[in-house]
């Protein structure tokens, strides 16, 4: 999701979730990334996706859709990026 598409609180949450998932994938690809930082970012992203579900936010145009397709767990989704 692109920042210029943010128009309301729902799209703001979708954008921030997408950005956090981008950080998770980036950290997971790095061999030297801090494991605790990766876990922290996964936790933040998981909370964001859970809130999107709770509040009925459309995530079809974000990385969250791919997470949901894999059962909704960010930790499982992040495994595909591990170096």
């Amino acid at each position: 999701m692109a920042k210029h598409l943010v128009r309301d609180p729902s799209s703001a949450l979708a954008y921030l979730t997408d950005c956090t998932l981008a950080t998770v994938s980036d950290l997971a690809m790095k061999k030297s990334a801090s494991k605790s930082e990766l876990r922290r970012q996964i936790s933040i992203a998981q909370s964001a996706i859970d809130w999107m579900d709770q509040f009925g936010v459309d995530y079809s145009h974000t990385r969250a859709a791919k997470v949901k397709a894999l059962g909704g767990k960010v930790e499982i989704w992040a495994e595909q990026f591990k170096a």
Side-chain angles (χ1 to χ4, degrees):
M1 176 173 196
K3 186 176 180 181
H4 72 275
L5 297 175
V6 174
R7 302 274 186 256
D8 54 39
S10 292
S11 59
L13 178 57
Y15 173 74
L16 292 172
T17 302
D18 204 40
C19 290
T20 305
L21 288 169
T23 300
V24 167
S25 66
D26 186 55
L27 287 172
M29 285 189 270
K30 294 180 179 177
K31 289 184 179 187
S32 62
S34 163
K35 290 185 192 320
S36 63
E37 181 61 18
L38 176 59
R39 282 192 305 269
R40 187 176 83 82
Q41 291 296 323
I42 286 172
S43 177
I44 292 168
Q46 188 66 59
S47 292
I49 289 174
D50 293 345
W51 290 332
M52 290 175 79
D53 282 338
Q54 181 181 352
F55 301 130
V57 175
D58 176 25
Y59 47 75
S60 60
H61 300 293
T62 69
R63 290 171 180 87
K66 294 176 182 171
V67 174
K68 295 302 286 183
L70 292 173
K73 298 295 181 191
V74 176
E75 189 170 5
I76 293 170
W77 175 81
E79 287 294 320
Q80 67 184 319
F81 300 105
K82 290 209 173 169

